[in-house]
Amino acid sequence: MELLTLEDVYPHPTCAAVGSFDGLHRAHRYILSRCRTLGGNLLVVTFLPHPTRLKDLLFTPEEKLEALEEMGVEVVLTLRAEDKRLSAEEFMRVLQSHFQVKVLLMGYDHHFGRGRAGSPRWLLENYDQFPIELHVFPPMRYRGKVISSSLIRELLKEGRVEEANELLGYRYILSGKVIKGKGLGGKLGFPTANLSIPSLKLLPSDGVYAVYVQQVRRYGVLHVGPRPTLGLQRSVEVHILNFGGEIPERLKVSLVARLRDVKKFASVEDLRLQIERDIKLTNILFSDGLPPIEETSGRLQSAQRSL
Amino acid sequence: MELLTLEDVYPHPTCAAVGSFDGLHRAHRYILSRCRTLGGNLLVVTFLPHPTRLKDLLFTPEEKLEALEEMGVEVVLTLRAEDKRLSAEEFMRVLQSHFQVKVLLMGYDHHFGRGRAGSPRWLLENYDQFPIELHVFPPMRYRGKVISSSLIRELLKEGRVEEANELLGYRYILSGKVIKGKGLGGKLGFPTANLSIPSLKLLPSDGVYAVYVQQVRRYGVLHVGPRPTLGLQRSVEVHILNFGGEIPERLKVSLVARLRDVKKFASVEDLRLQIERDIKLTNILFSDGLPPIEETSGRLQSAQRSL
């Protein structure tokens, strides 16, 4: 029997995935991994920055590009807000004529083009005009929950980072420049680095989180909370455990588990005792290294019990 | 970065390709090879036997199953003529509930279910009811020609086997039981085996063809032509070159190139001379082994010039 390779039919299939890809969660990654198996070039078409949303984004534009790069995406076609004027027909013509797109992947509910006229259904209704290999993806579930950027945002806003991470397929990341803080933690014996996070990036709800600090490969305790001196702006401070080195200019922190709510303390000593407790809990949680994402909730519960 | 595998989202994606798959040509094979890359089980859903066509089929039912088996298909769901009563909804429910189909692949113009109500477009219009990963395939071209079973049938009926083979992606096969012939060829010094080909199988137009006889791994000269004693039925006879062994009970012959039309001869000697010429041409054609399918036309022309 003769063997047929993809090249026989499609010399260089360019595969385009179209979507917002905020957070590049499990379902997004699944779609991109599908592209990968097709053996062609992978083009991602996405708005950058997000055309309407100005806050609560899971990704800054830089983070989105970095994540796509890590997934092996060859080309990103970035659409800007003014590109919303492009009609669905014009959009398809750009993909087919300019990029020689042979396979188009999109979520069942994705819309594109002026007035959101384009959709998978629209494509099949206009198939004579745009005959293309079309892969349509249904809502995907993980442990019964439909994976979506909106649900992940909701979970993070409620502080449920362990569940958000399960849907993301990785641990939610906060990254930013290290800025000078008030140095209060340092006086207590727990020096912290304050992170400057872009305002469009979603912060998890106020609270204390066990984290992994990527550049220095250390665990840490992160505090997200109100900073009275800055009005509504919230501060993000991380204390890196067992670290005596120079703190890098930028930090990238993976949120692993939520340890507790923020609270007011009657005395500095009460605060110091609580921080010691947070550190102890974090050390127990990480005693066997970073837990697998799916086991984090369980490990946290047993760590809390053993404290 | 954490690596995501397909299993994280879809533990065992069953991938179903739905279609008639007559001839399992390049485009069919492309669709099935796409299934293969998804990493799940591969289910093919196809009518067996063909629900309406009673002749000119590129495959007998047995040949279709054999070809699907060779492509690594795990399960074939065979629909019979009476299954045409199944509505498109019922059809989808069988796929999703009984076979846990997660990915459905079909040609853009495929219809299924009672009254041909189901189609890729119908699926997207009823997506709430049947959320499924849907891959729709456009007409595929090979050297400018749209690959289709109908076109391949037309080409074979005109004797253009080299072109038909290019669209098939393999060489058209005739296979059947060896039956007793009149032994005329033997008397001339060119013993032939007569093949009994099922009546629903499409025969190429009358003529003489250079072939490859699979079981005995020899080249041969095949004659398709009228057999006056049998009315309209046509005979298929093959003379295997350089072969002195026992002819197997069944033969499987790949058609490589059309050498000439059938014709009447004034004398037995004229016939003998022509057969010698056919054999010489076949030997020149195959002097470097089986030519690649795409080069067969060119090789045949240069063989004819050098004769």
Side-chain angles (χ1 to χ4, degrees):
Chain A
M1 187 165 66
E2 196 175 4
L3 287 177
L4 181 72
T5 67
L6 296 183
E7 282 73 4
D8 291 329
V9 182
Y10 284 158
H12 296 288
T14 292
C15 177
V18 183
S20 72
F21 297 111
D22 189 33
L24 208 65
H25 55 55
R26 268 182 199 277
H28 294 146
R29 280 158 195 261
Y30 177 74
I31 293 177
L32 296 188
S33 73
R34 278 297 173 84
C35 277
R36 282 269 71 96
T37 64
L38 302 180
N41 298 316
L42 172 47
L43 169 73
V44 162
V45 185
T46 192
F47 273 94
L48 206 75
H50 199 285
T52 51
R53 192 178 277 274
L54 296 171
K55 62 180 190 111
D56 289 347
L57 284 163
L58 300 175
F59 272 161
T60 64
E62 297 73 29
E63 287 171 347
K64 190 194 271 192
L65 290 180
E66 199 180 320
L68 291 173
E69 175 98 53
E70 280 173 1
M71 284 290 291
V73 174
E74 273 91 5
V75 185
V76 178
L77 170 61
T78 60
L79 304 174
R80 285 153 305 172
E82 58 265 35
D83 297 326
K84 288 174 78 179
R85 286 182 304 220
L86 213 65
S87 72
E89 286 86 355
E90 286 165 331
F91 179 80
M92 284 306 298
R93 246 169 267 139
V94 167
L95 291 192
Q96 292 195 296
S97 308
H98 191 81
F99 290 97
Q100 282 85 46
V101 169
K102 299 282 182 288
V103 190
L104 185 61
L105 292 84
M106 53 176 83
Y108 72 104
D109 57 350
H110 188 75
H111 285 80
F112 58 93
R114 193 168 55 230
R116 295 167 53 82
S119 67
R121 205 171 139 177
W122 175 88
L123 270 169
L124 288 189
E125 282 160 8
N126 294 275
Y127 206 76
D128 289 347
Q129 224 182 322
F130 307 108
I132 195 165
E133 185 175 332
L134 174 66
H135 297 199
V136 182
F137 293 84
M140 294 184 212
R141 285 168 192 280
Y142 182 79
R143 297 189 167 180
K145 295 193 196 88
V146 170
I147 305 168
S148 79
S149 301
S150 330
L151 176 56
I152 294 167
R153 286 184 201 112
E154 289 315 307
L155 290 170
L156 288 171
K157 282 180 182 180
E158 292 171 18
R160 297 156 71 182
V161 290
E162 305 85 2
E163 289 164 82
N165 289 346
E166 289 182 3
L167 299 189
L168 284 169
Y170 65 94
R171 295 175 189 88
Y172 189 60
I173 289 168
L174 294 177
S175 88
K177 272 176 82 167
V178 175
I179 47 174
K180 284 227 175 295
K182 284 175 291 173
L184 188 67
K187 282 174 205 151
L188 289 171
F190 309 108
T192 60
N194 285 28
L195 298 187
S196 164
I197 307 286
S199 62
L200 49 67
K201 171 93 176 178
L202 184 144
L203 290 181
S205 70
D206 290 352
V208 175
Y209 297 88
V211 300
Y212 177 72
V213 186
Q214 296 197 6
Q215 293 98 330
V216 299
R217 300 182 185 192
R218 289 284 194 289
Y219 301 116
V221 177
L222 181 109
H223 183 279
V224 178
R227 187 195 287 178
T229 54
L230 288 172
L232 287 174
Q233 207 179 320
R234 295 149 73 205
S235 77
V236 177
E237 297 180 49
V238 60
H239 169 64
I240 307 175
L241 304 187
N242 311 312
F243 183 69
E246 185 82 20
I247 290 182
E249 280 181 31
R250 290 187 65 84
L251 280 183
K252 202 168 169 182
V253 171
S254 299
L255 270 65
V256 180
R258 180 181 172 89
L259 302 179
R260 62 171 175 88
D261 294 347
V262 293
K263 50 184 173 180
K264 293 204 184 282
F265 293 93
S267 67
V268 171
E269 181 57 18
D270 282 358
L271 169 59
R272 207 182 53 76
L273 286 172
Q274 178 62 58
I275 294 176
E276 275 179 1
R277 223 177 132 83
D278 296 338
I279 291 173
K280 202 171 166 193
L281 182 58
T282 302
N283 277 322
I284 298 171
L285 177 66
F286 292 137
S287 53
D288 292 329
L290 264 180
I293 290 175
E294 304 72 30
E295 294 174 19
T296 305
S297 291
R299 295 265 184 104
L300 179 65
Q301 281 165 24
S302 56
Q304 280 163 330
R305 277 194 300 271
S306 75
L307 193 67
Chain B
M1 187 166 65
E2 195 175 4
L3 288 178
L4 181 72
T5 68
L6 296 183
E7 282 73 3
D8 291 330
V9 182
Y10 284 157
H12 296 289
T14 292
C15 177
V18 182
S20 72
F21 297 111
D22 189 33
L24 208 65
H25 55 55
R26 266 182 202 277
H28 294 146
R29 280 159 196 261
Y30 176 75
I31 293 176
L32 296 188
S33 73
R34 278 298 173 84
C35 277
R36 283 269 69 97
T37 64
L38 301 180
N41 298 315
L42 172 48
L43 169 73
V44 162
V45 185
T46 192
F47 273 96
L48 205 74
H50 199 284
T52 52
R53 192 178 277 275
L54 296 170
K55 62 176 190 118
D56 289 347
L57 283 163
L58 301 175
F59 272 160
T60 65
E62 297 72 29
E63 287 171 346
K64 190 194 271 191
L65 290 179
E66 199 180 319
L68 291 173
E69 176 98 52
E70 279 174 1
M71 284 291 290
V73 174
E74 273 92 6
V75 185
V76 178
L77 170 60
T78 60
L79 304 175
R80 285 153 306 173
E82 58 265 35
D83 296 327
K84 288 174 77 178
R85 286 182 306 219
L86 214 66
S87 72
E89 286 86 355
E90 286 163 332
F91 180 82
M92 284 306 297
R93 245 169 267 138
V94 168
L95 292 191
Q96 293 195 295
S97 309
H98 192 81
F99 290 98
Q100 281 86 46
V101 169
K102 297 282 181 290
V103 190
L104 185 61
L105 292 85
M106 53 177 83
Y108 71 105
D109 58 351
H110 188 74
H111 285 80
F112 58 93
R114 193 167 57 229
R116 296 166 53 82
S119 67
R121 206 171 139 176
W122 176 88
L123 270 169
L124 288 190
E125 282 160 8
N126 295 275
Y127 206 75
D128 289 347
Q129 225 181 323
F130 307 108
I132 196 166
E133 186 175 331
L134 174 66
H135 297 197
V136 182
F137 293 84
M140 293 184 213
R141 287 167 192 280
Y142 182 79
R143 295 189 170 182
K145 295 193 196 89
V146 170
I147 306 167
S148 80
S149 301
S150 331
L151 176 56
I152 294 166
R153 287 185 199 111
E154 289 315 307
L155 291 169
L156 288 171
K157 282 181 181 179
E158 293 171 19
R160 296 156 71 183
V161 290
E162 304 85 0
E163 289 165 82
N165 289 346
E166 289 182 3
L167 299 190
L168 284 169
Y170 65 94
R171 295 175 189 88
Y172 190 60
I173 289 167
L174 294 177
S175 87
K177 273 176 81 166
V178 175
I179 47 175
K180 284 225 175 297
K182 286 174 290 174
L184 189 65
K187 283 175 205 151
L188 288 171
F190 309 108
T192 59
N194 284 30
L195 298 187
S196 165
I197 308 286
S199 62
L200 49 67
K201 172 91 177 180
L202 185 144
L203 289 181
S205 70
D206 289 351
V208 175
Y209 296 89
V211 300
Y212 177 72
V213 186
Q214 296 197 7
Q215 293 98 330
V216 299
R217 300 182 185 193
R218 289 283 194 287
Y219 301 115
V221 176
L222 180 111
H223 183 278
V224 178
R227 187 195 287 177
T229 53
L230 289 172
L232 287 174
Q233 209 179 317
R234 295 149 72 205
S235 77
V236 177
E237 297 180 49
V238 60
H239 169 64
I240 307 175
L241 304 188
N242 311 311
F243 183 68
E246 186 81 21
I247 290 184
E249 279 181 31
R250 291 187 63 85
L251 280 182
K252 202 168 170 182
V253 171
S254 298
L255 271 65
V256 180
R258 180 182 173 88
L259 301 180
R260 62 171 175 88
D261 294 346
V262 292
K263 51 184 173 181
K264 294 205 185 281
F265 294 93
S267 67
V268 171
E269 181 58 15
D270 281 356
L271 170 59
R272 209 182 52 76
L273 286 172
Q274 179 61 58
I275 295 176
E276 277 179 359
R277 222 178 133 84
D278 295 339
I279 292 172
K280 200 169 166 193
L281 182 57
T282 303
N283 277 323
I284 298 171
L285 178 65
F286 292 137
S287 54
D288 293 329
L290 265 179
I293 290 175
E294 304 73 31
E295 293 174 22
T296 305
S297 291
R299 295 265 185 103
L300 179 65
Q301 283 165 22
S302 55
Q304 280 163 330
R305 277 194 301 272
S306 74
L307 194 65

